[in-house]
Amino acid sequence: FGYFRNAAEALKICHQNGMIHRDVKPSNILNMRVLNRVKLIDFERAKITRPDMGLVLDVSKGYRGMHGTIPFMSPEQFDAPQECDETSDVYSLALSLYQVMVHRHPQLPEYEREILSNVPDTTFADKVKNNDAVSISDIEPRVRNKKFADGLLKFLVRDKDARVDATPTHFI
């Protein structure tokens, strides 16, 4: 879990500096084992807001009007990408951990990660926006830590305002 703990810390630094990544996923978390650190990469969809400097910079037009990679997007990224904030990034980080652990999507557990690309974008969006996440312990019985499994679900709540303590430091 150190890998995701370090990713959460990197995300915290981004958020403290007014940056929303909007494309957090496993392939954008670079594990530099030799240096014992993690780096977030691929900021081409990021949004930077610095009210203290009068700066709002949205570096991406998005793909089909969406910001992010569909299997790792938060529900609000489908309908209201302008409402993406820190909680959206944390949702995507929790989703990344979930998928790395069990190779399934919490709202589409019937599909293995390798075949998620076969799910049409509209079906994917509908499932993510309308289905609650399935507990990781329900999919993978070897995950016996119920507290961890329940905690992870708190970051995968569909309503971004209901995500409990959705800050990276509370993540792990």
Side-chain angles (χ1 to χ4, degrees):
F1 295 113
Y3 170 76
F4 279 94
R5 185 178 297 115
N6 291 342
E9 285 299 321
L11 203 52
K12 176 183 174 186
I13 292 167
C14 289
H15 294 165
Q16 288 172 338
N17 288 286
M19 183 179 296
I20 308 302
H21 190 284
R22 298 195 296 195
D23 196 22
V24 176
K25 59 185 177 181
S27 63
N28 285 343
I29 303 170
L30 184 62
N31 190 1
M32 302 176 69
R33 290 186 184 130
V34 174
L35 300 174
N36 195 28
R37 66 173 61 164
V38 167
K39 291 194 177 213
L40 283 177
I41 60 172
D42 191 2
F43 286 86
E44 70 181 31
R45 295 179 179 166
K47 180 178 182 180
I48 302 168
T49 305
R50 293 291 304 261
D52 57 320
M53 299 170 65
L55 174 69
V56 175
L57 177 63
D58 192 344
V59 297
S60 169
K61 290 185 170 72
Y63 171 71
R64 294 188 198 163
M66 294 183 282
H67 299 280
T69 302
I70 290 174
F72 296 94
M73 286 172 44
S74 63
E76 60 272 13
Q77 283 178 277
F78 289 102
D79 288 334
Q82 70 280 5
E83 292 182 23
C84 291
D85 59 14
E86 293 88 350
T87 62
S88 301
D89 278 352
V90 173
Y91 178 98
S92 297
L93 184 61
L95 181 59
S96 296
L97 176 57
Y98 190 107
Q99 287 197 23
V100 164
M101 289 184 70
V102 296
H103 302 279
R104 307 243 183 225
H105 191 283
Q107 282 95 356
L108 290 93
E110 64 273 21
Y111 296 100
E112 290 192 30
R113 185 171 65 183
E114 290 76 22
I115 59 170
L116 280 175
S117 59
N118 297 333
V119 179
D121 294 353
T122 52
T123 301
F124 213 106
D126 183 58
K127 292 268 192 178
V128 169
K129 292 186 300 184
N130 297 309
N131 293 353
D132 291 326
V134 175
S135 175
I136 201 167
S137 59
D138 291 343
I139 294 173
E140 180 52 68
R142 290 179 292 179
V143 177
R144 293 189 181 106
N145 187 333
K146 181 93 168 116
K147 183 177 176 183
F148 169 80
D150 290 345
L152 189 58
L153 281 180
K154 292 178 182 179
F155 298 102
L156 295 170
V157 174
R158 286 180 285 148
D159 179 2
K160 73 181 192 113
D161 295 325
R163 291 183 199 137
V164 178
D165 292 325
T167 60
T169 52
H170 291 101
F171 183 74
I172 296 178

